Amino acid sequence: MPNPNPNLPDRDITDEKHYVNRRFFMKAAILSGTAAVTGLAYRELTYSKTIETSSRPLANFVPATQPSTQPGKDNGFTTTEAKNSYQDITHYNNFYEFSTDKASVADAADGFVTTPWTVSVEGLVRKPRKFDLDDILKISPPQERVYRMRCVEGWSMVIPWAGYPLADLLNAVQPLGSAKYVAFQTLLDPKRMPNQSANILNWPYVEGLRMDEAMHPLAILASGLYGKQLPPQDGAPIRLVTPWKYGFKGIKSIVKISVTEDQPPTTWNLAAPDEYGFYANVNPNVDHPRWSQATELRIGDLERRPTLMFNGYADQVASLYTGMDLRANY
Amino acid sequence: MKDPQFAKLVVFVNSLVPLALLFLDAKNDRLGPNPIEYAIRETGTLALIFLFLTLTITPVRKLTGWNWLSHFRREIGLFAFFYGLVHFSIYFGFYQSFNVKKVIADTIARRFILAGMGAMTILTPLALTSTNSIIKRMGAARWKKLHSYIYYAAGLGVLHYYLLVKADETKPEIYAAVLAVLLGYRLVVHLLRKKPAASMVIKTLNASNN
């Protein structure tokens, strides 16, 4: 190579081969360096934390038995379908009091304090009472119920709850003859449920059931999951589960249950009355105005499956709605 | 910009990072309990972000004088289309089982799908006309006119997101606000150019303030 600069001695000029190598190395470093920074920044922005829950096993827990194979004899208390994992059930939650992002609820609800906790059972009952949590949980031992859960958004899970029939509580307080509905209310405490400071829904969250629905053996007050105490993100310490209805009927972290004569207001119905009705029974034939309810994605699957009438509990609950127009009463 | 080719390669590689992470996480089963929903949300968000980045280049270039930024506009715009296409493909494959009839029925029945389809329908001819030879053949004026439809695509993209959300509209509202700033800037520039009187008024005001 001829020396282009006569003032420099030949030995000080970088050999072309090294020069090209150095440029190549610099470019590779810039490419991988910027890509690494972008990747880390992107991770930071999109990452959802996994929370290890330290729930204690439930006392007096009664595991589920096999479902009856005799036609018409299955009470629906359990299913042979594969259960969703504890990880999935505790990291994919709709609990707007903590976060509107299903993957972030576990993290946002981590450390939610549920002691002390009271549940006031009042209204049209002979024996109204403000229960301490331990007392309301003692009404009946926690039985395992393996239920399908169909979210109104079009996904579903199979969840091994632990709880006892809501009817057991209602029988303990003895509803009056005029009682027609049961209303439920979630805790209102923006300090412990941070998203209640945001104007997303009318807080506190409220739900309701007709008395015959509330007395149905499938309707339970759940306090456990996989044989352990319910973690905060799934509605600790006590929640409603009505497996034939869309998931939003299953009100979480309940502090008040009142028996009423008039149909109580329900949160999602107040927020969007044309989209969410009082009944909210799972019904593949009545679409949500913005999406179809004919199919659902079972969490863990890649392909959607048909949604079943009353979420597959028609044998048990269809008689509650005989003669009712389910299109008008969605 | 000493080496625009290399700078474009840097932008290219960095724009592919989210997709690479998505594939990596999918392979390692790290997309959470509902990986398909995760992927469709992620790619939809990326399409909107790349659309916004495309629309940010001109204002930033004019405000800062960094004219080299215009090198990346087409490339970033194409990434917006690319992520939109991945987003649509997930919908087409996983949500509608590659069934065109179902897609058409869904588009007619649901406003948010219609808005999203509208955005992609607009972006497709823009992406297809982004080679140098086509720009030459079309002529700069016609090409510019066609590509100004990106504003409608961005608007429909934000609307698509807004209509999908159940109750908490905070995020789509933030997107709408960003878009309003980006479009507002252009509106102001346009009005000032159209009405020299207006710019004169502003200049006079500025002068009197001094």
Side-chain angles (χ1 to χ4, degrees):
Chain A
M1 185 179 167
N3 187 341
N5 185 345
N7 297 328
L8 273 176
D10 267 2
R11 61 185 146 78
D12 281 1
I13 295 171
T14 311
D15 191 76
E16 188 180 3
K17 194 172 74 194
H18 292 134
Y19 170 76
V20 169
N21 271 345
R22 192 180 300 162
R23 271 190 72 86
F24 178 80
F25 177 78
M26 290 262 294
K27 284 184 174 180
I30 290 172
L31 275 178
S32 45
T34 55
V37 171
T38 305
L40 287 174
Y42 191 73
R43 261 279 179 277
E44 190 57 39
L45 285 172
T46 58
Y47 184 67
S48 310
K49 247 188 181 166
T50 291
I51 300 300
E52 294 296 324
T53 52
S54 50
S55 300
R56 272 176 296 162
L58 294 169
N60 308 318
F61 175 64
V62 186
T65 48
Q66 285 299 303
S68 171
T69 47
Q70 270 179 278
K73 291 281 180 200
D74 180 18
N75 55 20
F77 289 0
T78 185
T79 168
T80 52
E81 288 171 85
K83 289 180 276 230
N84 281 94
S85 68
Y86 188 79
Q87 166 72 21
D88 282 358
I89 297 168
T90 54
H91 287 83
Y92 196 72
N93 310 95
N94 271 323
F95 202 166
Y96 279 22
E97 283 82 343
F98 290 107
S99 168
T100 53
D101 171 25
K102 288 189 275 296
S104 303
V105 171
D107 187 21
D110 190 29
F112 176 63
V113 180
T114 57
T115 43
W117 193 276
T118 56
V119 184
S120 173
V121 186
E122 55 189 60
L124 304 175
V125 293
R126 214 154 278 135
K127 294 176 169 175
R129 184 178 160 189
K130 198 163 192 174
F131 288 91
D132 278 326
L133 183 63
D134 284 345
D135 294 331
I136 200 168
L137 295 182
K138 261 186 236 152
I139 284 179
S140 200
Q143 324 163 12
E144 186 169 43
R145 296 286 182 95
V146 187
Y147 284 162
R148 290 175 289 277
M149 203 284 293
R150 167 63 156 83
C151 178
V152 74
E153 294 169 351
W155 54 268
S156 63
M157 288 195 192
V158 175
I159 304 177
W161 301 109
Y164 64 79
L166 174 59
D168 291 358
L169 171 71
L170 292 172
N171 289 333
V173 295
Q174 300 176 17
L176 302 173
S178 53
K180 291 205 177 77
Y181 293 91
V182 184
F184 304 84
Q185 188 178 311
T186 295
L187 173 73
L188 177 64
D189 186 351
K191 284 202 189 93
R192 287 150 80 192
M193 295 183 149
N195 238 18
Q196 286 180 334
S197 310
N199 187 22
I200 302 164
L201 292 167
N202 274 321
W203 310 117
Y205 197 94
V206 288
E207 258 305 337
L209 295 172
R210 217 168 56 189
M211 187 54 81
D212 58 343
E213 297 177 321
M215 296 300 284
H216 194 281
L218 281 176
I220 59 164
L221 286 172
S223 57
L225 175 67
Y226 267 107
K228 293 190 285 185
Q229 285 177 338
L230 203 58
Q233 60 267 41
D234 290 281
I238 188 163
R239 64 166 294 166
L240 177 69
V241 180
T242 47
W244 71 97
K245 292 174 178 287
Y246 291 119
F248 70 85
K249 291 296 284 186
I251 185 171
K252 304 182 179 90
S253 308
I254 299 170
V255 293
K256 193 163 105 179
I257 299 174
S258 44
V259 175
T260 64
E261 189 167 5
D262 298 321
Q263 182 177 304
T266 59
T267 295
W268 277 103
N269 179 249
L270 293 172
D274 56 326
E275 298 190 347
Y276 311 98
F278 174 79
Y279 286 94
N281 292 318
V282 175
N283 189 341
N285 309 314
V286 179
D287 280 352
H288 185 280
R290 288 183 287 154
W291 54 83
S292 164
Q293 296 291 28
T295 63
E296 68 199 48
L297 182 80
R298 175 67 49 84
I299 297 302
D301 286 356
L302 288 180
E303 250 182 284
R304 300 180 75 83
R305 63 176 68 200
T307 288
L308 304 174
M309 189 65 204
F310 296 115
N311 201 22
Y313 298 99
D315 285 351
Q316 292 83 23
V317 301
S319 59
L320 296 174
Y321 309 103
T322 314
M324 245 175 82
D325 180 359
L326 296 177
R327 194 164 285 279
N329 297 288
Y330 52 90
Chain B
M1 187 89 344
K2 278 184 196 151
D3 190 347
Q5 279 320 108
F6 178 65
K8 278 185 185 174
L9 181 65
V10 172
V11 170
F12 184 82
V13 168
N14 279 277
S15 301
L16 281 177
V17 165
L19 188 75
L21 285 176
L22 197 61
F23 271 106
L24 197 71
D25 285 345
K27 197 173 153 274
N28 296 328
D29 199 14
R30 281 190 53 188
L31 293 183
N34 196 344
I36 297 164
E37 183 190 56
Y38 185 92
I40 201 162
R41 296 227 164 142
E42 211 61 19
T43 49
T45 305
L46 284 164
L48 276 175
I49 286 172
F50 274 93
L51 268 179
F52 287 0
L53 285 175
T54 314
L55 292 175
T56 308
I57 285 178
T58 300
V60 171
R61 182 173 66 85
K62 289 201 173 143
L63 292 172
T64 59
W66 298 342
N67 285 325
W68 48 267
L69 276 172
S70 61
H71 283 297
F72 308 116
R73 195 171 57 164
R74 201 193 309 170
E75 184 180 15
I76 292 173
L78 280 169
F79 267 107
F81 176 71
F82 171 72
Y83 279 112
L85 198 62
V86 177
H87 178 69
F88 169 78
S89 306
I90 296 169
Y91 163 78
F92 187 39
F94 285 108
Y95 285 76
Q96 304 300 345
S97 341
F98 298 104
N99 185 329
V100 179
K101 274 188 197 158
K102 277 168 85 176
V103 170
I104 294 169
D106 203 31
T107 307
I108 293 166
R110 326 220 174 272
R111 285 185 304 166
F112 85 97
I113 298 285
L114 184 67
M117 291 291 183
M120 280 310 285
T121 308
I122 292 170
L123 287 179
T124 305
L126 306 199
L128 293 176
T129 56
S130 57
T131 64
N132 284 333
S133 64
I134 290 179
I135 298 172
K136 254 181 218 151
R137 218 182 311 158
M138 284 181 72
R142 271 175 65 207
W143 189 85
K144 252 190 135 173
K145 175 123 184 40
L146 175 67
H147 281 247
S148 67
Y149 280 89
I150 190 173
Y151 306 133
Y152 296 98
L156 284 170
V158 172
L159 183 68
H160 169 67
Y161 186 19
Y162 186 84
L163 291 174
L164 164 75
V165 164
K166 258 199 323 181
D168 184 7
E169 284 102 356
T170 317
K171 269 196 198 164
E173 276 165 8
I174 292 170
Y175 280 61
V178 171
L179 184 62
V181 169
L182 292 172
L183 297 187
Y185 166 83
R186 288 166 167 83
L187 188 70
V188 170
V189 168
H190 180 73
L191 289 177
L192 288 181
R193 202 177 292 156
K194 216 175 174 182
K195 290 183 188 157
S199 72
M200 281 303 288
V201 170
I202 287 173
K203 269 183 198 157
T204 325
L205 280 173
N206 281 340
S208 63
N209 280 342
N210 297 335

